[in-house]
């Protein structure tokens, strides 16, 4: 179920929430991405427990973050911080969180064997500046 479809840094209309989906398997909810408003939409969808926000995570089994762009993880800090207060009636094990993993390092800008560019550390006083 799509919980939110608004991506990118800005929303065109206030009726849409950030990127997030809920996959239900064997009565357990798996959230895919946590864009702005994901937890609110989870409750509005009816998948977030029966007693309102205090149980909004009671059926959630896992969270999957596809990548770490801000529009996909905006609600993660809020969900993490308020999670213990939103599990009323929860009988499942702890919520598991899966992310994209270690991405390594960026490739070298210069090809192997070519010396790295050295930046000058010498500064020149700006005209008109005090000595």
């Amino acid at each position: 179920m799509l919980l939110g479809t608004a991506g990118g840094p800005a929303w065109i209309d206030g009726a849409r929430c950030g990127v997030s989906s809920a996959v239900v398997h064997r009565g357990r909810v798996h959230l895919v991405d946590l864009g702005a408003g994901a937890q609110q939409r989870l409750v509005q969808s009816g998948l977030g427990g029966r007693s309102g926000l205090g149980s909004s995570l009671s059926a959630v089994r896992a969270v999957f973050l596809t990548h770490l762009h801000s529009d996909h993880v905006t609600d993660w800090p809020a969900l993490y911080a308020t999670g213990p207060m939103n599990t009323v009636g929860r009988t499942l094990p702890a919520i598991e969180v899966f992310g994209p993993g270690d991405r390594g390092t960026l490739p070298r800008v210069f090809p192997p064997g070519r010396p790295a560019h050295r930046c000058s550390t010498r500064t020149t006083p700006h005209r008109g500046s005090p000595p």
Side-chain angles (χ1 to χ4, degrees):
M1 168 182 291
L2 297 176
L3 300 175
T5 58
W11 279 256
I12 294 175
D13 83 52
R16 294 171 58 199
C17 284
V19 177
S20 185
S21 301
V23 177
V24 181
H25 178 68
R26 296 184 181 171
R28 296 179 179 174
V29 178
H30 300 78
L31 297 175
V32 179
D33 291 328
L34 296 171
Q39 192 167 355
Q40 176 185 355
R41 289 290 200 220
L42 179 67
V43 172
Q44 291 173 342
S45 73
L47 298 174
R50 298 178 192 245
S51 59
L53 281 176
S55 65
S56 64
L57 302 176
S58 61
V60 175
R61 179 68 184 103
V63 174
F64 297 89
L65 302 173
T66 59
H67 60 283
L68 302 180
H69 288 172
S70 61
D71 59 330
H72 290 251
V73 299
T74 302
D75 260 16
W76 167 241
L79 187 125
Y80 182 80
T82 64
M85 297 171 273
N86 289 305
T87 56
V88 173
R90 183 178 179 84
T91 58
L92 298 172
I95 297 171
E96 293 184 276
V97 178
F98 301 91
D102 183 7
R103 298 324 241 172
T105 60
L106 292 173
R108 284 182 48 88
V109 175
F110 299 102
R114 181 175 172 192
H117 177 72
R118 297 196 190 278
C119 294
S120 172
T121 57
R122 196 173 123 211
T123 58
T124 309
H126 189 279
R127 281 193 164 188
S129 60

